[in-house]
Amino acid sequence: MAMTMSCDQLLDIDPEFTQDAENFFNTEEDYQRALIGAYDLMQTAYLQIWIGEIASDNSIAGGESVTDTQGLHDIQNMVHGGENAELRDVMRFNYTGIARANYIFEFQDNLDFNGKDKLLAEAAFLRAYYYFNLVTYFGDMPLIVDRRIAISEIQRIDRTPKEQIYAQIEADLNRAINTLNWTDPETGRITKGAALALLGKVLLYQSKYGEAAQVLDELITTNQAGYGLFEDYASLFYVINQNVNEDVFTIQYSGAQGGDYGCFVCLQGNLAVGFHGIRQYNGPFYADGNSYNLPTQDLYDYFDPADPRREATILDIEAFIAVQPNPGNINYAIGGGGHTGYYNNKYIKRADERGLPDDDLTSPLNYRVIRYADVLLMAAEAFARTGNDARARTELNKVRERVGMPLINSTGQSLINDILRERRLELSGEGYRFWDLVRTGQAAQEIEGFQTGKHELFPIPQVEIDLAGGNWRQNPGY
């Protein structure tokens, strides 16, 4: 899945307040435009790439200085609190996406038309996706379904237990699964496979391993979309290899329209790519950027040198320069926010993949929220945790075979450990590491400064607590 429509289409909605609910939702086009608006908030996934890596042992914040996007440096050092711009954005962006989906459901009975069930199923998926982001970051959150809320209500709404939020997420995803087709003629629309994959992930995060195994098994064995592992891992994250068989749930970006630093949520391109670029770089293949989200030595050393995923995942800048024809002519700058010598080679600005100015902000490189390798590894974990070691090894070894690594023959807890290790090798740089460490109870031993009982969740932004009249309790430890 994903959204291939250009951001021109995504944002081609009349100016705010020119139409209200009473004179909207009167045509099928109105519903489609509202759905595009609900899709649009997925474009803020750069925060997932950053926080999911920087909060873990995979990378440091980097940047121009330690006060350049200070919220990321605070998260890296595990000193983040309620005053954090990036965490505030996570909450606001996801609730905006939920509000746009709820707006559709509030007026779902205004009009009947062919394809309405599909449209509502896509909206349900989007609401589930946004709520899943919120519950993983913050735990209990206000659950608002099928309606907008008035400003006067905010101080009367309490945080909903996360178990109820998960129940709503599962209901919305099952609605999408039962309605949507495996493929869609318009690349970028949510599909049945995307919904199955996200449901499998949601169940895994709740330790519902038997249910997760069942859902992911359906995705793998039925697989009417033809999902598979793209043959060449080394070039998988190039623009030319987007929307291939490995893409199950992907957020699409466009490089066709510029942007500026004043409104990241307004952008049509994947801004993470430019921010990950090499600062003031002058040389072949890559292009200059802002040196954010820099992989650690620990991550680099985690790979077997024979594993081709190391080079595909991590750019060793000095090693790269050394093998170029004219290394003395290549130069770059080191930012004051930290330097490891490594760059995120999956989501990085390359010279021939730049969007329109400012090309720091307009990369057309899509973000793969869930790719098929992740599906196989989630399934392997679910099977291993329910005692089906043989099936777990089958799915795990598909991932290892793709990159020519030796097969795994372990059993029991050793097999589970091997699967979790493979997740880091396969998925680093993509924004999943922190959540994997937290949900498997490994965070305290792998993340410096991590406090058990506190850092499993991020703090509720203080400004949101204030807007709620102080009625929301802060998460423990903050």
Side-chain angles (χ1 to χ4, degrees), residues 200-449:
K201 185 173 185 177
V202 166
L203 293 168
L204 197 67
Y205 273 49
Q206 298 175 81
S207 301
K208 295 182 177 180
Y209 301 121
E211 294 176 60
Q214 183 177 0
V215 168
L216 294 166
D217 177 63
E218 179 182 352
L219 175 54
I220 293 167
T221 57
T222 306
N223 193 7
Q224 294 183 22
Y227 300 125
L229 296 174
F230 186 72
E231 183 176 352
D232 182 22
Y233 191 94
S235 65
L236 175 60
F237 286 86
Y238 292 3
V239 169
I240 58 172
N241 290 326
Q242 298 191 138
N243 299 317
V244 294
N245 60 336
E246 190 151 345
D247 292 323
V248 179
F249 171 25
T250 305
I251 296 171
Q252 305 270 329
Y253 289 97
S254 168
Q257 181 173 328
D260 65 67
Y261 285 84
C263 183
F264 286 170
V265 73
C266 304
L267 299 174
Q268 303 179 15
N270 185 346
L271 72 85
V273 173
F275 272 69
H276 293 170
I278 310 162
R279 184 169 294 272
Q280 297 177 26
Y281 177 76
N282 180 24
F285 194 73
Y286 296 102
D288 72 295
N290 297 328
S291 65
Y292 273 58
N293 194 9
L294 304 174
T296 61
Q297 187 71 47
D298 180 80
L299 176 58
Y300 186 84
D301 293 343
Y302 197 78
F303 285 87
D304 184 325
D307 191 334
R309 292 174 297 188
R310 185 176 72 174
E311 184 174 344
T313 301
I314 303 168
L315 168 64
D316 180 338
I317 184 61
E318 291 297 333
F320 172 79
I321 291 173
V323 298
Q324 301 308 308
N326 298 294
N329 296 332
I330 302 172
N331 52 73
Y332 68 98
I334 295 173
H339 181 65
T340 63
Y342 303 118
Y343 295 84
N344 185 328
N345 209 18
K346 289 180 176 176
Y347 294 103
I348 192 169
K349 195 200 296 186
R350 301 180 181 92
D352 62 351
E353 296 179 348
R354 291 177 291 184
L356 296 174
D358 182 328
D359 63 30
D360 277 347
L361 306 176
T362 56
S363 170
L365 186 62
N366 296 340
Y367 175 51
R368 292 176 163 108
V369 185
I370 303 178
R371 54 188 176 88
Y372 194 61
D374 192 5
V375 169
L376 296 176
L377 291 175
M378 288 192 292
E381 182 181 347
F383 285 122
R385 291 188 186 277
T386 52
N388 191 344
D389 286 2
R391 179 66 187 279
R393 286 192 298 269
T394 295
E395 306 309 334
L396 168 62
N397 284 325
K398 289 177 184 176
V399 176
R400 292 184 63 80
E401 281 184 299
R402 189 253 296 265
V403 291
M405 296 305 292
L407 302 186
I408 297 293
N409 297 307
S410 54
T411 60
Q413 185 59 49
S414 294
L415 175 58
I416 293 172
N417 293 341
D418 285 335
I419 293 166
L420 297 180
R421 174 179 172 80
E422 197 69 22
R423 287 190 62 80
R424 190 182 190 194
L425 295 170
E426 177 70 25
L427 302 171
S428 285
E430 301 178 46
Y432 313 122
R433 175 65 172 171
F434 177 75
W435 317 108
D436 277 346
L437 291 175
V438 167
R439 69 179 180 81
T440 59
Q442 300 177 89
Q445 69 189 50
E446 301 296 342
I447 302 173
E448 185 176 354

Side-chain angles (χ1 to χ4, degrees), residues 175-189:
R175 178 175 186 168
I177 290 165
N178 293 331
T179 303
L180 298 175
N181 294 323
W182 284 93
T183 60
D184 193 289
E186 185 172 30
T187 304
R189 294 282 185 173

